[in-house]
Amino acid sequence: MHHFLAIIATLLWATTAPAQSIAPREGWVVIDTQKTHAALLDDLKTAVKAHKMGVVTQAGPTGAARNRGITIPENRVIGVFNNDFAVRVLETSTAAMIEAPIRFYVTENPDATATLSYKTPGFVFAPYLEEGGDALRTLASELDTTFEQIARSATQ
């Protein structure tokens, strides 16, 4: 009987994963909110459009994990960019374009609130500044401002 209970406990532990908050780290902006994951995700998409950017990619493992019987916190990575910035990046550094789209990360916290995180565009493009020069530095600064505005709009 003890062996059976140990197996059941292991299976329950393996099919659920505790939520972990995103810790501040170099080059990241981390904004805790009182919004639910779904509300923050909707508000982020609205803010992206309002700031003349586009949602280029979306990815998250939660639904697929749920289909496999695994419960994990909601999370979604949203890639954001627009064609104007893409063309301008390519004018400065072909290699830097691999960083586009730049991503926002919406994560569910243990208390069912959500956090919005992102690496600043200036941080993302820093490895390419020698190649891209002042034009890429200016572009990264513009994107820093745009991403800050999107984040502020989404989290208020």
Side-chain angles (χ1 to χ4, degrees), residues 10-103:
T10 300
L11 287 173
L12 286 173
W13 179 81
T15 59
T16 61
Q20 296 179 349
S21 298
I22 298 289
R25 57 196 72 216
E26 181 183 359
W28 285 54
V29 174
V30 179
I31 306 168
D32 291 319
T33 75
Q34 294 303 307
K35 297 181 180 194
T36 65
H37 182 270
L40 182 54
L41 190 58
D42 287 345
D43 290 347
L44 175 61
K45 290 176 183 178
T46 299
V48 166
K49 187 175 182 179
H51 291 280
K52 296 182 174 58
M53 298 293 280
V55 171
V56 179
T57 60
Q58 294 188 58
T62 310
R66 190 177 304 116
N67 291 339
R68 296 176 42 224
I70 300 170
T71 303
I72 61 173
E74 293 289 336
N75 69 85
R76 183 78 55 93
V77 177
I78 304 292
V80 173
F81 224 61
N82 72 20
N83 187 258
D84 177 59
F85 282 115
V87 169
R88 291 174 59 202
V89 167
L90 286 169
E91 290 172 348
T92 69
S93 167
T94 301
M97 191 59 195
I98 197 165
E99 303 297 345
I102 298 173
R103 298 169 308 273

Coordinates of all heavy atoms in Angstrom, one line a residue, residues 10-103:
T10 N 3.8 10.7 -6.7 CA 4.8 11.1 -7.7 C 4.0 11.5 -9.0 O 4.4 12.5 -9.6 CB 5.7 9.9 -8.0 OG1 6.4 9.6 -6.8 CG2 6.7 10.3 -9.1
L11 N 3.0 10.8 -9.4 CA 2.2 11.1 -10.6 C 1.5 12.5 -10.4 O 1.5 13.3 -11.3 CB 1.2 10.0 -10.9 CG 1.7 8.7 -11.4 CD1 0.6 7.7 -11.5 CD2 2.4 8.9 -12.8
L12 N 1.0 12.8 -9.3 CA 0.3 14.1 -9.0 C 1.4 15.2 -9.1 O 1.1 16.2 -9.7 CB -0.4 14.1 -7.7 CG -1.7 13.3 -7.6 CD1 -2.2 13.3 -6.2 CD2 -2.7 13.9 -8.5
W13 N 2.5 15.0 -8.5 CA 3.6 16.0 -8.6 C 4.0 16.2 -10.0 O 4.2 17.3 -10.4 CB 4.7 15.6 -7.7 CG 5.8 16.6 -7.7 CD1 5.9 17.8 -7.0 CD2 7.0 16.6 -8.5 NE1 7.1 18.4 -7.3 CE2 7.8 17.7 -8.2 CE3 7.5 15.6 -9.4 CZ2 9.0 18.0 -8.8 CZ3 8.7 15.9 -10.0 CH2 9.4 17.1 -9.7
A14 N 4.2 15.1 -10.8 CA 4.7 15.2 -12.1 C 3.7 15.9 -13.1 O 4.1 16.4 -14.1 CB 5.1 13.8 -12.6
T15 N 2.4 15.9 -12.7 CA 1.4 16.5 -13.7 C 1.0 17.9 -13.3 O 0.2 18.5 -13.9 CB 0.2 15.6 -13.7 OG1 -0.4 15.5 -12.4 CG2 0.5 14.2 -14.3
T16 N 1.7 18.5 -12.3 CA 1.5 19.9 -12.0 C 2.8 20.5 -11.8 O 3.7 19.9 -11.3 CB 0.6 20.0 -10.7 OG1 1.3 19.5 -9.6 CG2 -0.8 19.4 -10.9
A17 N 2.9 21.7 -12.2 CA 4.1 22.5 -12.1 C 3.8 23.8 -11.4 O 2.9 24.5 -11.8 CB 4.8 22.8 -13.4
P18 N 4.5 24.1 -10.3 CA 4.2 25.3 -9.6 C 4.6 26.6 -10.4 O 5.5 26.6 -11.2 CB 5.0 25.3 -8.3 CG 6.2 24.3 -8.7 CD 5.6 23.4 -9.7
A19 N 3.8 27.6 -10.3 CA 4.1 28.9 -10.9 C 5.3 29.5 -10.2 O 5.4 29.5 -9.0 CB 2.9 29.8 -10.9
Q20 N 6.1 30.1 -11.0 CA 7.3 30.9 -10.5 C 7.2 32.3 -11.1 O 7.0 32.4 -12.3 CB 8.6 30.2 -10.9 CG 8.8 28.8 -10.3 CD 10.1 28.2 -10.7 OE1 10.8 28.7 -11.6 NE2 10.4 27.1 -10.0
S21 N 7.4 33.2 -10.2 CA 7.5 34.6 -10.7 C 8.8 34.9 -11.5 O 9.8 34.2 -11.2 CB 7.4 35.6 -9.5 OG 6.1 35.4 -8.9
I22 N 8.7 35.8 -12.4 CA 10.0 36.2 -13.1 C 10.8 37.1 -12.2 O 10.2 38.1 -11.7 CB 9.6 36.9 -14.4 CG1 8.8 36.0 -15.4 CG2 10.8 37.5 -15.1 CD1 9.6 34.9 -16.0
A23 N 12.0 36.8 -12.0 CA 12.9 37.6 -11.2 C 13.5 38.7 -12.1 O 13.8 38.5 -13.2 CB 14.0 36.8 -10.5
P24 N 13.7 39.9 -11.5 CA 14.4 40.9 -12.3 C 15.8 40.4 -12.7 O 16.5 39.7 -11.9 CB 14.6 42.1 -11.3 CG 13.5 41.9 -10.3 CD 13.3 40.4 -10.2
R25 N 16.3 40.8 -13.9 CA 17.6 40.4 -14.3 C 18.1 41.5 -15.3 O 17.3 42.3 -15.8 CB 17.5 39.0 -15.0 CG 16.5 38.9 -16.1 CD 16.2 37.5 -16.5 NE 15.4 36.9 -15.5 CZ 15.5 35.6 -15.1 NH1 16.3 34.8 -15.6 NH2 14.7 35.1 -14.2
E26 N 19.4 41.4 -15.6 CA 20.0 42.4 -16.5 C 19.3 42.5 -17.8 O 19.0 41.5 -18.5 CB 21.4 42.1 -16.7 CG 22.1 43.2 -17.5 CD 23.6 42.9 -17.8 OE1 24.1 41.9 -17.3 OE2 24.2 43.7 -18.5
G27 N 18.9 43.7 -18.3 CA 18.4 44.0 -19.6 C 16.9 43.7 -19.7 O 16.3 43.9 -20.7
W28 N 16.3 43.3 -18.6 CA 14.8 43.0 -18.6 C 14.0 44.0 -17.9 O 14.5 44.7 -17.0 CB 14.6 41.7 -17.9 CG 14.9 40.4 -18.6 CD1 16.1 40.1 -19.1 CD2 14.1 39.3 -18.8 NE1 16.1 38.8 -19.6 CE2 14.8 38.3 -19.4 CE3 12.8 39.0 -18.4 CZ2 14.3 37.1 -19.8 CZ3 12.2 37.8 -18.8 CH2 13.0 36.8 -19.5
V29 N 12.8 44.2 -18.3 CA 11.8 45.0 -17.6 C 10.8 43.9 -17.1 O 10.3 43.1 -17.9 CB 11.1 46.0 -18.5 CG1 10.0 46.7 -17.7 CG2 12.1 47.0 -19.0
V30 N 10.5 43.9 -15.8 CA 9.5 43.0 -15.2 C 8.5 43.8 -14.5 O 8.8 44.6 -13.6 CB 10.2 42.0 -14.3 CG1 9.2 41.1 -13.6 CG2 11.3 41.3 -15.0
I31 N 7.2 43.7 -14.9 CA 6.1 44.5 -14.3 C 5.0 43.5 -13.8 O 4.3 42.9 -14.5 CB 5.5 45.4 -15.4 CG1 6.6 46.3 -16.0 CG2 4.4 46.3 -14.7 CD1 6.1 47.0 -17.3
D32 N 4.9 43.5 -12.5 CA 3.9 42.7 -11.8 C 2.6 43.5 -11.9 O 2.6 44.7 -11.8 CB 4.2 42.4 -10.4 CG 5.3 41.5 -10.2 OD1 5.4 40.5 -11.0 OD2 6.2 41.7 -9.3
T33 N 1.5 42.8 -12.2 CA 0.2 43.4 -12.3 C -0.8 42.7 -11.4 O -0.6 41.6 -10.9 CB -0.4 43.4 -13.7 OG1 -0.8 42.1 -14.0 CG2 0.7 43.9 -14.7
Q34 N -2.0 43.3 -11.2 CA -3.1 42.6 -10.5 C -4.1 42.0 -11.5 O -5.1 41.5 -11.2 CB -3.9 43.7 -9.7 CG -3.0 44.2 -8.5 CD -2.5 43.0 -7.6 OE1 -3.3 42.2 -7.1 NE2 -1.2 43.0 -7.4
K35 N -3.7 42.1 -12.8 CA -4.6 41.5 -13.9 C -4.4 40.0 -14.0 O -3.4 39.5 -13.6 CB -4.2 42.1 -15.2 CG -4.4 43.6 -15.3 CD -4.1 44.1 -16.7 CE -4.3 45.7 -16.7 NZ -4.3 46.2 -18.1
T36 N -5.4 39.3 -14.5 CA -5.3 37.9 -14.8 C -4.5 37.8 -16.0 O -4.3 38.7 -16.8 CB -6.7 37.3 -15.1 OG1 -7.2 37.9 -16.2 CG2 -7.6 37.4 -13.9
H37 N -4.0 36.6 -16.3 CA -3.2 36.3 -17.5 C -4.0 36.7 -18.7 O -3.5 37.3 -19.6 CB -2.8 34.8 -17.5 CG -1.9 34.5 -18.7 ND1 -2.5 34.0 -19.9 CD2 -0.6 34.5 -18.8 CE1 -1.5 33.8 -20.7 NE2 -0.3 34.1 -20.1
A38 N -5.2 36.2 -18.8 CA -6.1 36.5 -20.0 C -6.3 38.0 -20.2 O -6.2 38.5 -21.3 CB -7.4 35.8 -19.9
A39 N -6.5 38.7 -19.1 CA -6.7 40.2 -19.3 C -5.5 40.9 -19.7 O -5.5 41.8 -20.6 CB -7.2 40.8 -17.9
L40 N -4.3 40.5 -19.1 CA -3.1 41.1 -19.5 C -2.7 40.8 -20.9 O -2.3 41.7 -21.7 CB -1.9 40.7 -18.5 CG -0.6 41.4 -18.8 CD1 -0.6 42.9 -18.8 CD2 0.4 40.9 -17.7
L41 N -2.9 39.6 -21.3 CA -2.7 39.2 -22.7 C -3.5 40.0 -23.7 O -3.0 40.5 -24.7 CB -2.9 37.7 -22.9 CG -2.5 37.1 -24.2 CD1 -1.0 37.2 -24.4 CD2 -2.8 35.6 -24.1
D42 N -4.8 40.2 -23.4 CA -5.7 41.0 -24.3 C -5.2 42.4 -24.3 O -5.2 43.0 -25.4 CB -7.1 40.9 -23.8 CG -7.8 39.5 -24.1 OD1 -7.2 38.8 -24.9 OD2 -8.8 39.3 -23.5
D43 N -4.9 43.0 -23.1 CA -4.5 44.4 -23.0 C -3.2 44.6 -23.8 O -2.9 45.6 -24.4 CB -4.4 44.8 -21.6 CG -5.7 44.9 -20.9 OD1 -6.8 44.9 -21.6 OD2 -5.8 45.0 -19.7
L44 N -2.3 43.6 -23.7 CA -1.0 43.7 -24.4 C -1.2 43.8 -25.9 O -0.7 44.6 -26.6 CB -0.1 42.5 -24.1 CG 1.2 42.5 -24.9 CD1 2.1 43.7 -24.6 CD2 2.0 41.2 -24.5
K45 N -2.1 42.9 -26.4 CA -2.3 42.9 -27.9 C -3.0 44.2 -28.3 O -2.7 44.7 -29.4 CB -3.2 41.7 -28.2 CG -2.5 40.4 -28.1 CD -3.5 39.2 -28.4 CE -2.8 37.9 -28.2 NZ -3.8 36.7 -28.4
T46 N -3.9 44.7 -27.5 CA -4.5 46.0 -27.8 C -3.5 47.1 -27.8 O -3.4 48.0 -28.7 CB -5.6 46.3 -26.8 OG1 -6.6 45.3 -26.9 CG2 -6.2 47.7 -27.0
A47 N -2.6 47.1 -26.8 CA -1.5 48.1 -26.8 C -0.5 48.0 -27.9 O -0.1 49.1 -28.4 CB -0.8 48.0 -25.4
V48 N -0.2 46.8 -28.3 CA 0.7 46.7 -29.5 C 0.1 47.3 -30.7 O 0.8 48.1 -31.4 CB 1.0 45.2 -29.7 CG1 1.6 44.9 -31.1 CG2 1.8 44.6 -28.6
K49 N -1.1 47.1 -31.0 CA -1.8 47.7 -32.1 C -1.9 49.2 -32.0 O -1.7 49.9 -33.0 CB -3.2 47.0 -32.3 CG -3.9 47.5 -33.6 CD -5.2 46.7 -33.7 CE -5.9 47.1 -35.0 NZ -7.2 46.4 -35.2
A50 N -2.2 49.7 -30.8 CA -2.4 51.1 -30.6 C -1.0 51.9 -30.8 O -1.1 53.0 -31.2 CB -2.9 51.4 -29.2
H51 N 0.1 51.2 -30.7 CA 1.4 51.8 -30.8 C 2.0 51.4 -32.2 O 3.2 51.5 -32.4 CB 2.3 51.4 -29.7 CG 1.9 52.1 -28.4 ND1 2.2 53.4 -28.1 CD2 1.1 51.6 -27.4 CE1 1.6 53.7 -26.9 NE2 1.0 52.6 -26.5
K52 N 1.1 51.1 -33.1 CA 1.5 50.8 -34.5 C 2.6 49.7 -34.7 O 3.4 49.8 -35.6 CB 1.9 52.1 -35.2 CG 0.8 53.2 -35.3 CD 1.2 54.4 -35.9 CE 0.1 55.4 -36.2 NZ -0.6 55.9 -35.1
M53 N 2.5 48.8 -33.9 CA 3.3 47.6 -34.0 C 2.4 46.4 -34.3 O 1.2 46.5 -34.2 CB 4.1 47.4 -32.7 CG 5.1 48.5 -32.4 SD 6.5 48.7 -33.5 CE 7.5 47.4 -33.0
G54 N 3.0 45.3 -34.6 CA 2.2 44.1 -34.9 C 2.6 42.9 -34.1 O 3.8 42.7 -33.7
V55 N 1.6 42.0 -33.7 CA 1.9 40.8 -33.1 C 2.4 39.8 -34.3 O 1.6 39.5 -35.1 CB 0.7 40.2 -32.4 CG1 1.0 38.8 -31.9 CG2 0.4 41.1 -31.2
V56 N 3.6 39.5 -34.3 CA 4.2 38.7 -35.4 C 4.2 37.2 -35.0 O 4.0 36.4 -35.9 CB 5.6 39.2 -35.7 CG1 6.3 38.4 -36.8 CG2 5.6 40.7 -36.0
T57 N 4.4 36.9 -33.8 CA 4.4 35.5 -33.3 C 3.8 35.4 -32.0 O 3.7 36.3 -31.2 CB 5.9 34.9 -33.2 OG1 6.6 35.7 -32.2 CG2 6.6 34.9 -34.5
Q58 N 3.3 34.2 -31.7 CA 2.8 33.8 -30.4 C 3.1 32.4 -30.1 O 3.0 31.5 -30.9 CB 1.2 33.9 -30.3 CG 0.7 35.3 -30.5 CD -0.8 35.4 -30.2 OE1 -1.3 35.0 -29.2 NE2 -1.6 35.8 -31.2
A59 N 3.6 32.1 -28.9 CA 3.9 30.7 -28.5 C 3.7 30.6 -27.0 O 3.9 31.5 -26.2 CB 5.3 30.4 -28.8
G60 N 3.2 29.4 -26.6 CA 3.0 29.1 -25.2 C 2.7 27.6 -25.0 O 2.0 27.1 -25.8
P61 N 3.3 27.0 -24.1 CA 3.1 25.6 -23.9 C 1.9 25.1 -23.1 O 1.6 23.9 -23.0 CB 4.4 25.2 -23.1 CG 4.7 26.4 -22.3 CD 4.3 27.5 -23.1
T62 N 1.2 26.0 -22.5 CA 0.1 25.7 -21.6 C -1.0 24.8 -22.2 O -1.3 23.8 -21.6 CB -0.5 27.0 -21.0 OG1 0.5 27.8 -20.5 CG2 -1.4 26.6 -19.8
G63 N -1.5 25.1 -23.3 CA -2.6 24.3 -23.9 C -2.1 23.0 -24.3 O -2.8 22.0 -24.0
A64 N -0.9 22.9 -24.9 CA -0.4 21.6 -25.3 C -0.1 20.7 -24.1 O -0.4 19.5 -24.1 CB 0.9 21.7 -26.2
A65 N 0.4 21.3 -23.0 CA 0.7 20.6 -21.8 C -0.6 20.1 -21.2 O -0.7 18.9 -20.8 CB 1.4 21.5 -20.8
R66 N -1.6 20.9 -21.2 CA -3.0 20.5 -20.7 C -3.5 19.3 -21.5 O -4.1 18.4 -20.9 CB -3.9 21.7 -20.8 CG -5.2 21.5 -20.0 CD -6.1 22.8 -20.1 NE -5.5 23.9 -19.6 CZ -5.2 25.0 -20.3 NH1 -5.5 25.1 -21.6 NH2 -4.6 26.1 -19.8
N67 N -3.3 19.3 -22.8 CA -3.8 18.2 -23.6 C -3.0 16.9 -23.2 O -3.5 15.8 -23.5 CB -3.6 18.5 -25.1 CG -4.6 19.5 -25.6 OD1 -5.6 19.8 -24.9 ND2 -4.2 20.2 -26.7
R68 N -1.8 17.0 -22.7 CA -1.1 15.9 -22.2 C -1.3 15.5 -20.8 O -0.6 14.6 -20.2 CB 0.4 16.2 -22.4 CG 0.8 16.4 -23.9 CD 2.3 16.8 -24.1 NE 3.2 16.0 -23.3 CZ 4.2 16.6 -22.6 NH1 4.4 17.8 -22.7 NH2 5.0 15.8 -21.9
G69 N -2.2 16.2 -20.1 CA -2.6 15.9 -18.7 C -1.6 16.6 -17.7 O -1.6 16.2 -16.6
I70 N -0.9 17.6 -18.2 CA 0.0 18.3 -17.3 C -0.5 19.7 -17.1 O -0.8 20.4 -18.0 CB 1.4 18.4 -18.0 CG1 2.0 17.0 -18.2 CG2 2.4 19.2 -17.1 CD1 3.2 17.0 -19.1
T71 N -0.5 20.1 -15.8 CA -1.0 21.4 -15.5 C 0.2 22.3 -15.2 O 1.0 22.0 -14.3 CB -1.9 21.4 -14.2 OG1 -3.0 20.5 -14.5 CG2 -2.4 22.8 -13.9
I72 N 0.3 23.4 -16.0 CA 1.3 24.4 -15.8 C 0.7 25.8 -15.8 O -0.4 25.9 -16.3 CB 2.5 24.3 -16.8 CG1 1.9 24.6 -18.2 CG2 3.2 23.0 -16.7 CD1 3.0 24.7 -19.3
P73 N 1.4 26.8 -15.2 CA 0.8 28.1 -15.2 C 0.7 28.6 -16.6 O 1.4 28.3 -17.5 CB 1.8 28.9 -14.4 CG 2.7 28.0 -13.7 CD 2.6 26.7 -14.5
E74 N -0.3 29.5 -16.8 CA -0.5 30.2 -18.1 C 0.8 31.0 -18.5 O 1.3 31.7 -17.6 CB -1.7 31.1 -18.1 CG -3.0 30.3 -18.0 CD -3.4 29.6 -19.2 OE1 -2.9 29.9 -20.3 OE2 -4.2 28.6 -19.1
N75 N 1.2 30.9 -19.7 CA 2.3 31.8 -20.1 C 2.3 31.9 -21.6 O 1.9 30.9 -22.3 CB 3.7 31.4 -19.6 CG 4.2 30.1 -20.2 OD1 4.8 30.1 -21.2 ND2 3.9 29.0 -19.5
R76 N 2.6 33.0 -22.1 CA 2.6 33.2 -23.6 C 3.7 34.2 -23.9 O 3.9 35.2 -23.3 CB 1.3 33.8 -24.0 CG 1.1 34.1 -25.5 CD 0.7 32.8 -26.3 NE -0.4 32.1 -25.7 CZ -1.7 32.3 -26.1 NH1 -1.9 33.2 -27.1 NH2 -2.7 31.6 -25.6
V77 N 4.5 33.9 -25.0 CA 5.5 34.7 -25.5 C 4.9 35.4 -26.8 O 4.4 34.7 -27.7 CB 6.8 33.9 -25.9 CG1 7.8 34.8 -26.5 CG2 7.3 33.2 -24.7
I78 N 4.9 36.7 -26.8 CA 4.4 37.5 -27.9 C 5.5 38.2 -28.6 O 6.1 39.1 -28.1 CB 3.3 38.5 -27.4 CG1 2.2 37.8 -26.6 CG2 2.7 39.3 -28.6 CD1 1.3 36.9 -27.4
G79 N 5.7 37.9 -29.9 CA 6.7 38.5 -30.7 C 6.1 39.8 -31.4 O 5.1 39.7 -32.0
V80 N 6.8 40.9 -31.2 CA 6.3 42.2 -31.6 C 7.3 42.9 -32.5 O 8.5 43.0 -32.2 CB 5.9 43.1 -30.4 CG1 5.5 44.5 -30.8 CG2 4.8 42.4 -29.6
F81 N 6.8 43.4 -33.7 CA 7.7 44.2 -34.6 C 6.8 44.8 -35.6 O 5.6 44.6 -35.6 CB 8.7 43.3 -35.2 CG 10.1 43.9 -35.2 CD1 10.8 44.2 -34.0 CD2 10.8 44.1 -36.4 CE1 12.0 44.8 -34.0 CE2 12.1 44.7 -36.4 CZ 12.7 45.0 -35.2
N82 N 7.4 45.6 -36.5 CA 6.7 46.0 -37.7 C 7.7 46.1 -38.9 O 8.9 46.1 -38.7 CB 5.9 47.3 -37.5 CG 6.8 48.6 -37.3 OD1 7.9 48.6 -37.7 ND2 6.2 49.6 -36.7
N83 N 7.2 46.3 -40.1 CA 8.0 46.2 -41.2 C 8.9 47.4 -41.3 O 10.1 47.3 -41.8 CB 7.1 46.1 -42.5 CG 8.0 45.9 -43.7 OD1 8.3 46.9 -44.5 ND2 8.5 44.7 -43.9
D84 N 8.5 48.6 -40.9 CA 9.4 49.8 -40.9 C 10.6 49.5 -40.1 O 11.8 49.7 -40.6 CB 8.6 51.0 -40.4 CG 9.6 52.2 -40.3 OD1 10.1 52.6 -41.4 OD2 9.8 52.7 -39.2
F85 N 10.5 49.0 -38.9 CA 11.6 48.7 -38.1 C 12.5 47.6 -38.7 O 13.7 47.6 -38.6 CB 11.2 48.3 -36.6 CG 10.9 49.5 -35.8 CD1 9.6 49.7 -35.3 CD2 11.8 50.5 -35.5 CE1 9.2 50.8 -34.6 CE2 11.5 51.6 -34.7 CZ 10.2 51.8 -34.3
A86 N 11.8 46.6 -39.3 CA 12.6 45.5 -39.9 C 13.5 46.0 -41.0 O 14.7 45.6 -41.1 CB 11.6 44.4 -40.4
V87 N 13.0 46.8 -41.9 CA 13.8 47.4 -43.0 C 14.9 48.2 -42.4 O 16.1 48.1 -42.9 CB 12.9 48.2 -43.9 CG1 13.7 49.0 -44.9 CG2 11.9 47.3 -44.7
R88 N 14.6 49.0 -41.4 CA 15.7 49.8 -40.8 C 16.8 49.0 -40.1 O 17.9 49.4 -40.2 CB 15.1 50.8 -39.8 CG 14.2 51.9 -40.6 CD 13.5 52.8 -39.7 NE 14.4 53.5 -38.8 CZ 14.0 54.1 -37.6 NH1 12.8 54.0 -37.2 NH2 14.9 54.7 -36.9
V89 N 16.4 47.9 -39.5 CA 17.4 47.0 -38.9 C 18.3 46.5 -39.9 O 19.5 46.5 -39.8 CB 16.7 45.9 -38.0 CG1 17.8 44.8 -37.7 CG2 16.1 46.4 -36.8
L90 N 17.7 46.0 -41.0 CA 18.5 45.4 -42.1 C 19.4 46.4 -42.8 O 20.5 46.0 -43.3 CB 17.5 44.8 -43.1 CG 16.9 43.5 -42.7 CD1 15.8 43.1 -43.7 CD2 17.9 42.4 -42.6
E91 N 19.0 47.7 -42.7 CA 19.9 48.7 -43.3 C 21.2 48.9 -42.4 O 22.2 49.4 -42.9 CB 19.2 50.0 -43.4 CG 18.1 50.0 -44.5 CD 17.3 51.3 -44.5 OE1 17.3 52.1 -43.5 OE2 16.5 51.5 -45.5
T92 N 21.1 48.4 -41.2 CA 22.3 48.6 -40.3 C 23.1 47.4 -40.1 O 24.3 47.4 -40.0 CB 21.8 49.1 -38.9 OG1 21.1 48.1 -38.2 CG2 21.0 50.4 -39.0
S93 N 22.4 46.2 -39.9 CA 23.0 45.0 -39.6 C 22.1 43.8 -40.0 O 21.1 43.6 -39.4 CB 23.4 44.9 -38.1 OG 23.7 43.6 -37.8
T94 N 22.6 43.0 -41.0 CA 21.8 41.8 -41.4 C 21.7 40.9 -40.2 O 20.7 40.3 -40.0 CB 22.4 41.2 -42.6 OG1 22.5 42.1 -43.7 CG2 21.7 39.9 -43.0
A95 N 22.8 40.7 -39.5 CA 22.8 39.8 -38.4 C 21.9 40.2 -37.3 O 21.2 39.3 -36.7 CB 24.3 39.7 -37.8
A96 N 21.7 41.4 -37.0 CA 20.8 41.9 -36.0 C 19.3 41.5 -36.2 O 18.5 41.4 -35.3 CB 20.9 43.4 -35.8
M97 N 19.0 41.3 -37.4 CA 17.6 40.9 -37.8 C 17.1 39.6 -37.1 O 15.9 39.4 -36.9 CB 17.4 40.9 -39.3 CG 15.9 40.8 -39.7 SD 15.0 42.2 -39.1 CE 13.4 41.6 -39.4
I98 N 18.1 38.8 -36.8 CA 17.7 37.5 -36.1 C 17.0 37.7 -34.8 O 16.2 36.9 -34.3 CB 18.9 36.6 -35.9 CG1 18.4 35.1 -35.6 CG2 19.8 37.1 -34.8 CD1 19.5 34.1 -35.8
E99 N 17.2 38.9 -34.2 CA 16.5 39.2 -32.9 C 15.1 39.6 -33.1 O 14.4 39.8 -32.1 CB 17.3 40.3 -32.2 CG 18.8 40.0 -32.0 CD 19.0 38.8 -31.1 OE1 18.1 38.3 -30.4 OE2 20.1 38.3 -31.1
A100 N 14.6 39.9 -34.3 CA 13.2 40.3 -34.5 C 12.4 39.1 -34.8 O 12.8 38.1 -35.4 CB 13.2 41.2 -35.7
P101 N 11.2 39.1 -34.3 CA 10.5 40.1 -33.4 C 11.1 40.0 -32.0 O 11.5 39.0 -31.5 CB 9.1 39.7 -33.5 CG 9.1 38.2 -33.6 CD 10.3 37.9 -34.5
I102 N 11.0 41.2 -31.4 CA 11.4 41.3 -30.0 C 10.1 40.8 -29.2 O 9.0 41.1 -29.5 CB 11.8 42.7 -29.6 CG1 13.1 43.0 -30.5 CG2 12.1 42.8 -28.1 CD1 13.5 44.4 -30.3
R103 N 10.4 40.1 -28.1 CA 9.3 39.4 -27.4 C 8.9 40.0 -26.1 O 9.7 40.5 -25.3 CB 9.7 38.0 -27.2 CG 9.9 37.3 -28.5 CD 10.5 35.9 -28.4 NE 11.8 35.9 -27.6 CZ 13.0 36.1 -28.1 NH1 13.1 36.4 -29.4 NH2 14.0 36.0 -27.4

